[in-house]
Amino acid sequence: MTSVRQVQITFDCAEPERVARFWCEVLGYELHSSGLACSDPTGVGPRLYFQRVPEGKVAKNRVHLDVRVGTGLVGEERLAALEAECARLVPLGAVRGQLLLADEDNESCLNMQDVEGNEFCLD
């Protein structure tokens, strides 16, 4: 049996170039010349691909990206990191969602949406 070596994450969207530019800015990725894909310049993260589809988004994502800006941080320090990244992303077109505070099982995270309403978390 062959093991998987790479993963690509594909976004269905109305404006692929716009969504690709947003995610390149969020993640520090490089936009491919096609304008429809972006890659981690270090080669570590997955390639993202953006394909035009005729239908709009109608329900909550079943899979979402976590943008890990608070790794290893707790309490007020973690909240400050989440808020700082949120402040950076909103001018790019992101929409702030609900802040979920830490509980017995999970650290604090901040729900957000990209420029076409796809949910993601600042984690």
Side-chain angles (χ1 to χ4, degrees):
M1 183 169 164
T2 305
S3 63
V4 175
R5 302 267 187 248
Q6 295 181 353
V7 172
Q8 171 175 284
I9 299 169
T10 301
F11 288 72
D12 290 348
C13 40
E15 297 180 61
E17 297 87 355
R18 179 177 180 231
V19 182
R21 283 191 308 274
F22 172 82
W23 282 104
C24 283
E25 285 291 325
V26 170
L27 301 174
Y29 274 30
E30 295 174 345
L31 187 64
H32 291 212
S33 60
S34 68
L36 301 177
C38 55
S39 297
D40 180 354
T42 69
V44 175
R47 179 179 190 256
L48 304 180
Y49 182 75
F50 305 88
Q51 64 186 8
R52 186 178 317 278
V53 297
E55 69 277 359
K57 184 176 178 306
V58 296
K60 183 178 187 277
N61 299 3
R62 292 294 306 250
V63 174
H64 67 268
L65 300 183
D66 285 345
V67 179
R68 312 235 24 234
V69 297
T71 303
L73 303 176
V74 295
E76 292 301 319
E77 189 176 18
R78 182 179 180 88
L79 292 175
L82 299 178
E83 292 294 347
E85 185 66 1
C86 179
R88 183 181 79 86
L89 300 181
V90 168
L92 299 175
V95 176
R96 181 192 175 99
Q98 181 179 10
L99 174 64
L100 302 171
L101 296 175
D103 60 23
E104 304 80 39
D105 299 318
N106 301 296
E107 286 293 339
S108 297
C109 67
L110 180 57
N111 293 330
M112 298 195 71
Q113 293 180 0
D114 74 8
V115 295
E116 284 201 1
N118 298 301
E119 296 90 3
F120 68 97
C121 290
L122 298 181
D123 176 27

